[in-house]
Coordinates of all heavy atoms in Angstrom, one line a residue:
M65 N 49.0 -26.3 3.2 CA 48.1 -25.2 3.0 C 48.9 -23.8 3.1 O 48.7 -22.9 2.4 CB 46.9 -25.3 4.0 CG 45.9 -24.1 3.9 SD 45.0 -24.4 2.3 CE 43.9 -23.1 2.5
K66 N 49.8 -23.8 4.1 CA 50.6 -22.7 4.4 C 51.5 -22.4 3.2 O 51.6 -21.2 2.9 CB 51.4 -22.9 5.7 CG 52.2 -21.7 6.0 CD 53.1 -22.0 7.2 CE 53.9 -20.8 7.6 NZ 54.8 -21.0 8.7
D67 N 52.1 -23.4 2.7 CA 53.0 -23.3 1.5 C 52.2 -22.7 0.3 O 52.7 -21.8 -0.4 CB 53.6 -24.6 1.2 CG 54.6 -25.1 2.1 OD1 55.1 -24.3 2.9 OD2 54.7 -26.3 2.2
F68 N 51.0 -23.1 0.1 CA 50.1 -22.6 -1.1 C 49.8 -21.2 -0.8 O 50.0 -20.4 -1.8 CB 48.9 -23.4 -1.1 CG 47.9 -22.9 -2.2 CD1 48.2 -23.0 -3.5 CD2 46.8 -22.1 -1.8 CE1 47.3 -22.5 -4.4 CE2 46.0 -21.5 -2.7 CZ 46.2 -21.7 -4.0
I69 N 49.5 -20.7 0.4 CA 49.3 -19.3 0.6 C 50.5 -18.5 0.4 O 50.4 -17.4 -0.1 CB 48.7 -19.2 2.0 CG1 47.3 -19.8 2.2 CG2 48.6 -17.7 2.4 CD1 46.7 -19.9 3.5
L70 N 51.6 -19.0 0.9 CA 52.9 -18.2 0.7 C 53.2 -18.1 -0.8 O 53.9 -17.1 -1.2 CB 54.0 -18.8 1.4 CG 53.9 -18.7 3.0 CD1 55.1 -19.4 3.7 CD2 54.0 -17.3 3.4
V71 N 52.9 -19.1 -1.6 CA 53.3 -19.1 -3.0 C 52.2 -18.2 -3.8 O 52.5 -17.4 -4.7 CB 53.2 -20.5 -3.6 CG1 53.3 -20.5 -5.1 CG2 54.5 -21.2 -3.0
A72 N 50.9 -18.2 -3.4 CA 49.9 -17.7 -4.2 C 49.7 -16.1 -3.7 O 49.2 -15.2 -4.6 CB 48.5 -18.3 -3.9
L73 N 50.0 -15.8 -2.5 CA 49.8 -14.4 -2.0 C 50.5 -13.3 -2.9 O 49.8 -12.3 -3.2 CB 50.3 -14.3 -0.6 CG 50.1 -12.9 0.1 CD1 48.5 -12.7 0.2 CD2 50.7 -12.9 1.4
P74 N 51.7 -13.5 -3.4 CA 52.2 -12.4 -4.2 C 51.6 -12.2 -5.5 O 51.5 -11.2 -5.9 CB 53.8 -12.9 -4.4 CG 54.0 -13.8 -3.3 CD 52.7 -14.4 -3.0
W75 N 51.1 -13.3 -6.1 CA 50.4 -13.3 -7.4 C 49.0 -12.6 -7.2 O 48.6 -11.8 -8.0 CB 50.2 -14.6 -8.0 CG 51.6 -15.1 -8.5 CD1 52.2 -16.2 -7.8 CD2 52.3 -14.7 -9.5 NE1 53.4 -16.4 -8.6 CE2 53.4 -15.6 -9.6 CE3 52.1 -13.8 -10.5 CZ2 54.4 -15.4 -10.6 CZ3 53.1 -13.7 -11.5 CH2 54.2 -14.5 -11.5
V76 N 48.4 -12.9 -6.0 CA 47.2 -12.2 -5.8 C 47.3 -10.7 -5.6 O 46.5 -9.8 -6.1 CB 46.4 -12.9 -4.5 CG1 45.2 -12.0 -4.0 CG2 46.1 -14.4 -4.8
I77 N 48.3 -10.3 -4.9 CA 48.7 -8.9 -4.6 C 48.9 -8.2 -6.0 O 48.5 -7.1 -6.2 CB 49.7 -8.8 -3.6 CG1 49.4 -9.2 -2.3 CG2 50.2 -7.3 -3.6 CD1 50.4 -9.2 -1.3
V78 N 49.8 -8.8 -6.8 CA 50.1 -8.2 -8.1 C 48.8 -8.1 -9.0 O 48.6 -7.0 -9.5 CB 51.1 -9.0 -8.8 CG1 51.3 -8.7 -10.3 CG2 52.4 -8.9 -8.1
G79 N 48.0 -9.0 -9.0 CA 46.7 -9.0 -9.8 C 45.8 -7.9 -9.2 O 45.3 -7.1 -10.1
I80 N 45.6 -7.8 -7.9 CA 44.7 -6.7 -7.4 C 45.4 -5.3 -7.7 O 44.6 -4.4 -8.0 CB 44.6 -7.0 -5.8 CG1 43.7 -8.1 -5.6 CG2 44.0 -5.7 -5.3 CD1 43.7 -8.5 -4.1
T81 N 46.6 -5.2 -7.6 CA 47.4 -3.9 -7.8 C 47.2 -3.5 -9.3 O 46.9 -2.3 -9.6 CB 48.8 -3.9 -7.4 OG1 48.9 -4.4 -6.1 CG2 49.4 -2.7 -7.6
L82 N 47.4 -4.5 -10.2 CA 47.3 -4.2 -11.7 C 45.8 -3.8 -12.0 O 45.6 -2.9 -12.7 CB 47.8 -5.3 -12.5 CG 49.2 -5.5 -12.5 CD1 49.6 -6.8 -13.3 CD2 49.9 -4.4 -13.1
S83 N 44.8 -4.5 -11.4 CA 43.4 -4.1 -11.6 C 43.1 -2.6 -11.2 O 42.3 -1.9 -11.8 CB 42.5 -5.2 -11.1 OG 42.5 -5.2 -9.7
I84 N 43.6 -2.3 -10.0 CA 43.3 -1.0 -9.5 C 44.0 0.0 -10.4 O 43.4 1.0 -10.6 CB 43.9 -0.8 -8.0 CG1 42.9 -1.7 -7.2 CG2 43.8 0.6 -7.6 CD1 43.5 -1.8 -5.7
V85 N 45.2 -0.2 -10.7 CA 45.9 0.8 -11.7 C 45.2 1.0 -13.0 O 44.9 2.0 -13.5 CB 47.5 0.3 -11.9 CG1 48.1 1.1 -13.0 CG2 48.2 0.4 -10.6
M86 N 44.7 -0.2 -13.5 CA 44.0 -0.1 -14.8 C 42.6 0.7 -14.6 O 42.2 1.4 -15.5 CB 43.6 -1.6 -15.3 CG 44.8 -2.4 -15.7 SD 45.6 -2.0 -17.3 CE 44.4 -2.8 -18.3
L87 N 41.9 0.4 -13.5 CA 40.7 1.1 -13.2 C 41.0 2.6 -13.1 O 40.2 3.4 -13.7 CB 40.1 0.6 -11.9 CG 38.9 1.2 -11.4 CD1 37.6 0.7 -12.4 CD2 38.5 0.8 -10.0
L88 N 42.0 3.1 -12.4 CA 42.3 4.5 -12.2 C 42.7 5.1 -13.6 O 42.2 6.2 -13.9 CB 43.5 4.7 -11.3 CG 43.2 4.4 -9.8 CD1 44.3 4.4 -8.9 CD2 42.0 5.2 -9.3
V89 N 43.4 4.4 -14.4 CA 43.8 4.9 -15.7 C 42.6 5.1 -16.6 O 42.5 6.2 -17.4 CB 44.9 4.1 -16.3 CG1 45.0 4.4 -17.8 CG2 46.1 4.1 -15.6
T90 N 41.7 4.2 -16.7 CA 40.5 4.3 -17.4 C 39.6 5.4 -16.9 O 39.0 6.1 -17.7 CB 39.7 3.0 -17.5 OG1 39.4 2.5 -16.3 CG2 40.6 1.9 -18.3
K91 N 39.5 5.5 -15.7 CA 38.6 6.6 -15.0 C 39.3 7.9 -15.4 O 38.5 8.9 -15.8 CB 38.6 6.4 -13.6 CG 37.4 5.6 -13.0 CD 37.4 5.7 -11.5 CE 36.3 4.9 -11.0 NZ 36.3 5.0 -9.5
K92 N 40.5 8.1 -15.4 CA 41.2 9.4 -15.7 C 41.0 9.7 -17.2 O 40.7 10.9 -17.5 CB 42.6 9.3 -15.3 CG 43.3 10.7 -15.3 CD 44.7 10.5 -14.8 CE 44.8 10.8 -13.3 NZ 46.1 11.0 -12.9
S93 N 41.0 8.8 -18.0 CA 40.9 9.0 -19.5 C 39.4 9.3 -19.9 O 39.2 10.1 -20.8 CB 41.4 7.8 -20.3 OG 40.5 6.7 -20.1
K94 N 38.5 8.7 -19.1 CA 37.1 9.1 -19.3 C 36.8 10.4 -18.9 O 36.0 11.1 -19.5 CB 36.2 8.1 -18.7 CG 36.2 6.7 -19.4 CD 35.2 5.8 -18.7 CE 35.2 4.4 -19.3 NZ 34.3 3.5 -18.6
K95 N 37.4 10.7 -17.7 CA 37.1 12.2 -17.1 C 37.7 13.2 -17.9 O 37.0 14.3 -18.1 CB 37.7 12.2 -15.7 CG 37.4 13.4 -14.9 CD 38.0 13.3 -13.5 CE 37.7 14.6 -12.7 NZ 38.3 14.5 -11.4
K96 N 38.8 13.1 -18.7 CA 39.3 14.1 -19.5 C 38.4 14.4 -20.7 O 38.6 15.5 -21.2 CB 40.8 13.7 -19.9 CG 41.8 13.9 -18.8 CD 43.1 13.9 -19.4 CE 44.1 14.1 -18.2 NZ 45.5 14.2 -18.7
G97 N 37.6 13.5 -21.2 CA 36.8 13.7 -22.3 C 35.7 14.7 -22.0 O 35.2 15.4 -22.9
S98 N 35.2 14.8 -20.8 CA 34.2 15.8 -20.4 C 34.6 16.8 -19.4 O 34.1 16.9 -18.3 CB 32.9 15.0 -19.9 OG 33.3 14.3 -18.8
I99 N 35.4 17.7 -19.8 CA 35.9 18.7 -19.0 C 35.3 20.1 -19.3 O 35.3 20.5 -20.5 CB 37.4 18.8 -19.1 CG1 38.1 17.5 -18.5 CG2 38.1 20.0 -18.2 CD1 39.6 17.4 -18.5
S100 N 34.9 20.8 -18.4 CA 34.4 22.2 -18.7 C 35.5 23.2 -18.8 O 36.7 22.8 -18.5 CB 33.4 22.6 -17.6 OG 34.1 22.8 -16.4
K101 N 35.3 24.4 -19.2 CA 36.3 25.4 -19.5 C 37.0 25.8 -18.1 O 38.2 25.8 -18.1 CB 35.5 26.7 -20.0 CG 36.5 27.6 -20.7 CD 36.8 27.0 -22.0 CE 37.1 28.1 -23.0 NZ 37.9 27.6 -24.1
S102 N 36.3 25.9 -17.0 CA 37.0 26.2 -15.7 C 37.9 25.1 -15.2 O 38.9 25.3 -14.7 CB 35.9 26.6 -14.7 OG 35.1 25.4 -14.4
E103 N 37.4 23.9 -15.4 CA 38.2 22.7 -15.0 C 39.5 22.6 -16.0 O 40.5 22.2 -15.5 CB 37.4 21.5 -15.1 CG 36.3 21.4 -14.1 CD 35.5 20.1 -14.3 OE1 35.6 19.4 -15.3 OE2 34.7 19.8 -13.3
E104 N 39.3 23.1 -17.2 CA 40.5 23.0 -18.1 C 41.5 24.0 -17.6 O 42.8 23.6 -17.8 CB 40.0 23.2 -19.5 CG 41.0 23.0 -20.6 CD 40.4 23.2 -22.0 OE1 39.3 22.7 -22.2 OE2 41.1 23.8 -22.8
I105 N 41.1 25.1 -17.2 CA 42.1 26.1 -16.7 C 42.8 25.6 -15.5 O 44.1 25.7 -15.4 CB 41.4 27.5 -16.4 CG1 40.9 28.0 -17.7 CG2 42.4 28.4 -15.7 CD1 39.9 29.3 -17.4
I106 N 42.1 25.0 -14.6 CA 42.7 24.4 -13.4 C 43.7 23.3 -13.8 O 44.8 23.1 -13.3 CB 41.7 23.9 -12.4 CG1 40.9 25.1 -11.8 CG2 42.4 23.1 -11.3 CD1 39.7 24.7 -11.1
D107 N 43.3 22.4 -14.7 CA 44.2 21.4 -15.2 C 45.3 21.8 -15.8 O 46.5 21.3 -15.7 CB 43.3 20.4 -16.1 CG 42.4 19.5 -15.4 OD1 42.5 19.5 -14.2 OD2 41.5 18.9 -16.1
N108 N 45.3 22.9 -16.6 CA 46.4 23.6 -17.3 C 47.5 24.0 -16.3 O 48.7 23.8 -16.5 CB 46.1 24.7 -18.2 CG 45.4 24.1 -19.5 OD1 45.6 23.0 -19.9 ND2 44.7 25.0 -20.2
K109 N 47.0 24.6 -15.2 CA 47.9 25.0 -14.1 C 48.6 23.8 -13.5 O 49.8 23.9 -13.2 CB 47.1 25.8 -13.0 CG 46.7 27.1 -13.4 CD 46.0 27.9 -12.4 CE 45.5 29.2 -12.9 NZ 44.7 30.0 -11.8
Q110 N 47.8 22.8 -13.2 CA 48.5 21.6 -12.6 C 49.4 20.9 -13.6 O 50.4 20.4 -13.1 CB 47.4 20.6 -12.2 CG 46.6 21.1 -11.0 CD 45.4 20.3 -10.7 OE1 45.1 19.3 -11.5 NE2 44.8 20.4 -9.5
E111 N 49.1 20.9 -14.9 CA 50.0 20.3 -15.9 C 51.3 21.0 -16.1 O 52.3 20.5 -16.5 CB 49.3 20.1 -17.1 CG 48.2 19.0 -17.2 CD 47.5 18.9 -18.5 OE1 47.8 19.6 -19.4 OE2 46.5 18.2 -18.6
S112 N 51.3 22.3 -15.7 CA 52.5 23.1 -15.8 C 53.6 22.6 -14.8 O 54.8 22.7 -15.2 CB 52.3 24.6 -15.6 OG 51.9 24.8 -14.2
E113 N 53.1 22.0 -13.7 CA 54.1 21.3 -12.8 C 54.5 20.0 -13.5 O 53.8 19.3 -14.2 CB 53.6 21.1 -11.5 CG 53.0 22.4 -10.7 CD 52.4 22.2 -9.5 OE1 52.2 20.9 -9.2 OE2 52.0 23.0 -8.9
E114 N 55.7 19.6 -13.1 CA 56.2 18.3 -13.7 C 55.6 17.2 -12.9 O 55.6 17.0 -11.7 CB 57.7 18.3 -13.5 CG 58.4 17.4 -14.4 CD 59.9 17.6 -14.2 OE1 60.5 18.5 -15.0 OE2 60.6 16.8 -13.5
E115 N 55.0 16.3 -13.7 CA 54.3 15.0 -13.1 C 55.0 13.8 -13.4 O 55.6 13.7 -14.5 CB 52.9 15.0 -13.7 CG 52.0 16.1 -13.2 CD 50.6 15.9 -13.6 OE1 50.2 14.8 -14.0 OE2 49.8 16.9 -13.7
T116 N 55.2 13.0 -12.5 CA 55.9 11.7 -12.6 C 55.0 10.5 -12.3 O 54.0 10.8 -11.7 CB 57.2 11.6 -11.8 OG1 56.9 11.7 -10.4 CG2 58.1 12.8 -12.2
Y117 N 55.5 9.3 -12.4 CA 54.8 8.1 -11.9 C 55.3 7.6 -10.7 O 55.5 6.4 -10.5 CB 55.0 7.1 -13.1 CG 54.2 7.3 -14.3 CD1 54.7 7.8 -15.5 CD2 52.8 7.0 -14.4 CE1 54.0 8.2 -16.7 CE2 52.0 7.2 -15.5 CZ 52.7 7.8 -16.6 OH 51.9 8.1 -17.7
M118 N 55.6 8.5 -9.8 CA 56.3 8.1 -8.5 C 55.4 7.2 -7.7 O 55.8 6.2 -7.2 CB 56.6 9.3 -7.7 CG 57.4 9.1 -6.5 SD 58.0 10.6 -5.7 CE 56.7 11.7 -5.7
S119 N 54.0 7.5 -7.6 CA 53.1 6.7 -6.8 C 52.9 5.4 -7.4 O 52.8 4.3 -6.7 CB 51.9 7.3 -6.5 OG 51.2 7.6 -7.7
Y120 N 52.7 5.3 -8.7 CA 52.6 4.0 -9.4 C 53.9 3.2 -9.2 O 53.7 1.9 -9.0 CB 52.3 4.2 -10.9 CG 51.0 4.7 -11.2 CD1 50.9 5.9 -11.8 CD2 49.8 4.1 -10.8 CE1 49.6 6.5 -12.2 CE2 48.5 4.6 -11.2 CZ 48.5 5.8 -11.7 OH 47.2 6.3 -12.1
G121 N 55.0 3.7 -9.3 CA 56.3 3.0 -9.2 C 56.3 2.4 -7.8 O 56.8 1.3 -7.6
M122 N 56.0 3.2 -6.7 CA 56.1 2.7 -5.4 C 55.2 1.6 -5.2 O 55.5 0.5 -4.6 CB 55.8 3.8 -4.4 CG 56.9 4.8 -4.3 SD 56.4 6.2 -3.2 CE 56.3 5.3 -1.7
S123 N 53.9 1.6 -5.7 CA 53.0 0.5 -5.6 C 53.4 -0.7 -6.2 O 53.3 -1.8 -5.7 CB 51.6 1.0 -6.1 OG 51.1 2.1 -5.4
L124 N 53.8 -0.6 -7.5 CA 54.2 -1.7 -8.2 C 55.6 -2.3 -7.6 O 55.8 -3.6 -7.6 CB 54.3 -1.5 -9.7 CG 53.1 -1.2 -10.3 CD1 53.3 -0.7 -11.9 CD2 52.2 -2.4 -10.3
G125 N 56.5 -1.4 -7.2 CA 57.7 -1.8 -6.6 C 57.4 -2.7 -5.3 O 58.2 -3.7 -5.0
M126 N 56.5 -2.2 -4.6 CA 56.1 -2.9 -3.3 C 55.6 -4.3 -3.6 O 56.0 -5.2 -3.1 CB 55.1 -2.1 -2.4 CG 54.8 -2.9 -1.2 SD 53.8 -1.8 -0.1 CE 52.3 -1.6 -1.0
C127 N 54.7 -4.4 -4.6 CA 54.2 -5.7 -5.0 C 55.3 -6.6 -5.5 O 55.4 -7.8 -5.2 CB 53.2 -5.6 -6.1 SG 51.7 -4.7 -5.4
F128 N 56.3 -6.0 -6.4 CA 57.3 -6.8 -6.9 C 58.2 -7.2 -5.8 O 58.7 -8.4 -5.7 CB 58.1 -6.0 -7.9 CG 59.2 -6.8 -8.6 CD1 59.0 -7.7 -9.5 CD2 60.5 -6.5 -8.2 CE1 60.0 -8.4 -10.1 CE2 61.6 -7.2 -8.8 CZ 61.3 -8.2 -9.8
G129 N 58.5 -6.4 -4.8 CA 59.4 -6.7 -3.7 C 58.8 -7.8 -2.8 O 59.6 -8.7 -2.4
V130 N 57.4 -7.8 -2.6 CA 56.8 -8.9 -1.8 C 56.9 -10.2 -2.6 O 57.2 -11.3 -2.0 CB 55.3 -8.5 -1.5 CG1 54.5 -9.7 -1.0 CG2 55.3 -7.3 -0.6
S131 N 56.7 -10.1 -3.9 CA 56.7 -11.5 -4.6 C 58.1 -12.0 -4.7 O 58.3 -13.2 -4.6 CB 56.1 -11.2 -6.1 OG 56.9 -10.2 -6.8
V132 N 59.1 -11.2 -4.8 CA 60.5 -11.7 -4.8 C 60.9 -12.2 -3.5 O 61.6 -13.3 -3.2 CB 61.6 -10.5 -5.4 CG1 62.9 -11.0 -5.2 CG2 61.2 -10.4 -6.9
S133 N 60.6 -11.4 -2.4 CA 61.0 -11.7 -1.1 C 60.3 -12.9 -0.5 O 60.8 -13.7 0.4 CB 60.9 -10.6 -0.2 OG 59.5 -10.2 0.1
S134 N 59.2 -13.2 -1.1 CA 58.4 -14.5 -0.5 C 59.1 -15.8 -0.9 O 59.0 -16.8 -0.3 CB 57.0 -14.5 -1.1 OG 57.0 -14.7 -2.5
A135 N 60.0 -15.7 -2.0 CA 60.8 -16.8 -2.3 C 61.9 -17.1 -1.3 O 62.4 -18.2 -1.2 CB 61.4 -16.6 -3.7
F136 N 62.3 -16.2 -0.5 CA 63.4 -16.2 0.5 C 62.8 -16.4 2.0 O 63.5 -16.3 2.9 CB 64.3 -15.0 0.5 CG 65.0 -14.9 -0.9 CD1 64.6 -13.8 -1.6 CD2 65.9 -15.8 -1.2 CE1 65.3 -13.7 -2.9 CE2 66.6 -15.6 -2.3 CZ 66.3 -14.5 -3.2
M137 N 61.5 -16.6 2.0 CA 60.8 -16.8 3.4 C 61.3 -17.9 4.2 O 61.5 -17.9 5.4 CB 59.3 -16.8 3.3 CG 58.6 -15.6 2.9 SD 58.4 -14.5 4.4 CE 57.2 -15.6 5.4
N138 N 61.6 -18.9 3.4 CA 62.1 -20.2 4.2 C 63.4 -20.1 4.7 O 63.7 -20.6 5.8 CB 62.0 -21.4 3.3 CG 60.7 -21.8 2.7 OD1 59.7 -21.5 3.5 ND2 60.6 -22.4 1.7
K139 N 64.3 -19.2 4.0 CA 65.7 -19.1 4.5 C 65.8 -18.0 5.5 O 66.5 -18.2 6.5 CB 66.5 -18.8 3.2 CG 68.0 -18.8 3.5 CD 68.8 -18.7 2.2 CE 70.3 -18.8 2.6 NZ 71.1 -18.7 1.4
F140 N 65.1 -16.8 5.3 CA 65.3 -15.7 6.1 C 64.2 -15.4 7.1 O 64.3 -14.5 8.0 CB 65.6 -14.5 5.3 CG 66.9 -14.6 4.5 CD1 66.8 -14.7 3.2 CD2 68.1 -14.6 5.1 CE1 68.0 -14.7 2.4 CE2 69.2 -14.8 4.4 CZ 69.2 -14.9 3.0
G141 N 63.0 -16.0 7.0 CA 61.9 -15.7 7.7 C 61.0 -14.5 7.4 O 61.2 -14.0 6.2
S142 N 60.5 -13.8 8.3 CA 59.6 -12.7 8.0 C 60.5 -11.5 7.7 O 60.0 -10.5 7.1 CB 58.7 -12.5 9.2 OG 59.4 -12.1 10.3
Q143 N 61.7 -11.5 8.0 CA 62.6 -10.3 7.6 C 62.8 -10.1 6.2 O 62.9 -9.1 5.7 CB 64.0 -10.4 8.4 CG 64.0 -10.3 9.8 CD 65.4 -10.6 10.3 OE1 66.2 -11.0 9.8 NE2 65.5 -10.1 11.6
A144 N 62.6 -11.3 5.4 CA 62.6 -11.2 4.0 C 61.6 -10.3 3.5 O 61.9 -9.5 2.5 CB 62.6 -12.6 3.4
L145 N 60.3 -10.4 3.9 CA 59.2 -9.6 3.5 C 59.5 -8.1 3.8 O 59.1 -7.3 3.1 CB 57.9 -10.2 4.1 CG 57.3 -11.3 3.6 CD1 56.1 -11.8 4.3 CD2 57.0 -11.1 2.1
T146 N 60.0 -7.9 5.1 CA 60.2 -6.6 5.4 C 61.2 -5.8 4.4 O 61.0 -4.7 4.1 CB 60.9 -6.5 6.9 OG1 59.9 -7.3 7.8 CG2 61.0 -5.1 7.4
Y147 N 62.2 -6.5 4.2 CA 63.3 -5.9 3.4 C 62.9 -5.8 1.9 O 63.2 -4.9 1.1 CB 64.7 -6.7 3.5 CG 65.3 -6.4 4.7 CD1 65.7 -7.5 5.6 CD2 65.7 -5.2 5.2 CE1 66.3 -7.2 6.7 CE2 66.3 -4.9 6.3 CZ 66.6 -6.0 7.1 OH 67.2 -5.8 8.3
G148 N 62.0 -6.9 1.5 CA 61.5 -6.9 0.2 C 60.7 -5.7 0.0 O 60.6 -5.0 -1.2
I149 N 59.7 -5.4 0.9 CA 58.8 -4.3 0.8 C 59.6 -3.0 0.7 O 59.4 -2.0 -0.1 CB 57.8 -4.2 1.9 CG1 56.8 -5.4 1.8 CG2 57.0 -3.0 1.9 CD1 55.9 -5.6 3.0
C150 N 60.5 -2.8 1.6 CA 61.3 -1.6 1.6 C 62.1 -1.3 0.3 O 62.1 -0.2 -0.2 CB 62.3 -1.6 2.8 SG 61.4 -1.5 4.4
F151 N 62.9 -2.3 -0.1 CA 63.7 -2.2 -1.3 C 62.9 -2.1 -2.5 O 63.2 -1.4 -3.5 CB 64.8 -3.2 -1.3 CG 65.8 -3.0 -0.2 CD1 66.1 -4.0 0.6 CD2 66.6 -1.8 -0.1 CE1 67.1 -3.9 1.6 CE2 67.4 -1.7 0.9 CZ 67.7 -2.7 1.8
G152 N 61.8 -2.8 -2.5 CA 60.8 -2.7 -3.8 C 60.2 -1.3 -3.9 O 60.2 -0.7 -4.9
M153 N 59.8 -0.7 -2.7 CA 59.2 0.6 -2.9 C 60.4 1.6 -3.1 O 60.1 2.5 -4.0 CB 58.7 1.0 -1.4 CG 57.3 0.3 -1.2 SD 56.5 0.9 0.3 CE 56.2 2.6 0.1
L154 N 61.6 1.5 -2.7 CA 62.6 2.4 -3.0 C 63.0 2.3 -4.5 O 63.2 3.4 -5.1 CB 63.8 2.1 -2.1 CG 65.0 2.9 -2.4 CD1 64.8 4.3 -2.0 CD2 66.2 2.4 -1.6
A155 N 63.1 1.1 -5.1 CA 63.4 0.9 -6.4 C 62.2 1.5 -7.3 O 62.5 2.2 -8.3 CB 63.7 -0.5 -6.8
G156 N 61.0 1.3 -6.9 CA 59.9 1.8 -7.6 C 59.8 3.3 -7.6 O 59.5 3.9 -8.6
L157 N 60.2 3.8 -6.4 CA 60.2 5.3 -6.3 C 61.2 6.0 -7.2 O 60.9 6.9 -8.0 CB 60.5 5.6 -4.8 CG 60.7 7.1 -4.5 CD1 59.4 7.9 -4.6 CD2 61.4 7.3 -3.2
L158 N 62.4 5.3 -7.3 CA 63.5 5.9 -8.0 C 63.1 5.8 -9.5 O 63.4 6.7 -10.4 CB 64.8 5.2 -7.7 CG 65.3 5.5 -6.4 CD1 66.6 4.6 -6.2 CD2 65.7 6.9 -6.2
I159 N 62.6 4.7 -9.9 CA 62.2 4.5 -11.4 C 61.1 5.3 -11.7 O 61.1 6.0 -12.7 CB 61.8 3.0 -11.6 CG1 63.2 2.1 -11.4 CG2 61.3 2.8 -13.0 CD1 62.9 0.5 -11.5
G160 N 60.0 5.5 -10.9 CA 58.9 6.2 -11.2 C 59.2 7.7 -11.2 O 58.5 8.5 -12.0
M161 N 60.2 8.2 -10.5 CA 60.5 9.6 -10.4 C 61.2 10.0 -11.8 O 61.1 11.2 -12.2 CB 61.5 10.0 -9.3 CG 60.9 10.1 -8.0 SD 61.9 10.3 -6.6 CE 62.8 11.8 -7.1
N162 N 61.9 9.1 -12.5 CA 62.6 9.3 -13.8 C 61.7 9.2 -14.9 O 62.2 9.6 -16.0 CB 63.8 8.4 -13.7 CG 64.9 8.8 -12.8 OD1 65.0 10.0 -12.4 ND2 65.4 7.7 -12.1
I163 N 60.5 8.8 -14.8 CA 59.6 8.7 -16.0 C 58.6 9.8 -15.9 O 57.8 9.9 -14.9 CB 58.8 7.3 -16.0 CG1 59.9 6.1 -16.0 CG2 57.8 7.3 -17.2 CD1 59.4 4.8 -15.8
K164 N 58.6 10.7 -16.8 CA 57.7 11.8 -16.8 C 56.4 11.5 -17.5 O 56.4 10.7 -18.5 CB 58.4 13.0 -17.6 CG 59.7 13.4 -17.3 CD 59.7 14.0 -15.8 CE 61.2 14.4 -15.5 NZ 61.6 14.0 -14.2
K165 N 55.3 12.1 -17.1 CA 54.0 11.8 -17.6 C 53.9 12.6 -18.9 O 54.3 13.8 -18.9 CB 52.9 12.2 -16.7 CG 52.6 11.2 -15.6 CD 51.4 11.5 -14.8 CE 51.2 10.5 -13.7 NZ 50.1 10.8 -12.9
K166 N 53.1 12.2 -19.9 CA 53.0 12.9 -21.1 C 51.7 13.6 -21.2 O 50.8 13.3 -20.6 CB 53.0 12.0 -22.3 CG 54.5 11.4 -22.4 CD 54.5 10.4 -23.7 CE 55.8 9.7 -23.7 NZ 56.0 8.8 -24.8

């Protein structure tokens, strides 16, 4: 039972994360369709700043780090998850910072 949980947990985490990201993206696209004039001015000011996918990158990087590091749980123990989360978030942060929102 423990082996099944260790194998299935990363896939469950990735599935939940992807569903949350998809939900947020669809909410944002629906919200942009019904914007009043004052909200449009505020949005234009915010869009003048450079926006990146830093938070999405960190979230997906953490999930990817957990899924990869869970393969090394038998060899390195719980430290594998710790390093997987840290390096996954770091990689996601660096990748997400370099992708600009359109």
Side-chain angles (χ1 to χ4, degrees):
M65 183 71 173
K66 182 180 176 184
D67 293 335
F68 174 75
I69 292 173
L70 290 175
V71 170
L73 183 63
W75 292 106
V76 171
I77 292 172
V78 168
I80 291 171
T81 303
L82 288 177
S83 63
I84 291 172
V85 168
M86 298 277 287
L87 180 69
L88 292 174
V89 168
T90 56
K91 272 188 179 180
K92 193 176 267 190
S93 66
K94 286 181 183 178
K95 187 177 179 183
K96 284 193 174 188
S98 60
I99 295 179
S100 67
K101 202 73 154 161
S102 61
E103 290 176 351
E104 190 174 315
I105 293 170
I106 293 170
D107 285 344
N108 286 339
K109 288 180 183 177
Q110 290 175 350
E111 287 177 3
S112 64
E113 297 176 4
E114 200 170 276
E115 295 184 19
T116 61
Y117 288 102
M118 186 169 46
S119 59
Y120 290 120
M122 287 177 65
S123 300
L124 293 174
M126 182 172 63
C127 292
F128 184 74
V130 167
S131 62
V132 169
S133 65
S134 66
F136 298 110
M137 282 282 293
N138 293 336
K139 189 172 184 179
F140 298 112
S142 63
Q143 289 179 345
L145 284 177
T146 305
Y147 290 122
I149 290 171
C150 293
F151 290 124
M153 284 182 69
L154 179 63
L157 174 73
L158 293 174
I159 292 170
M161 284 176 58
N162 291 321
I163 301 173
K164 308 291 184 227
K165 286 186 177 179
K166 294 180 182 179

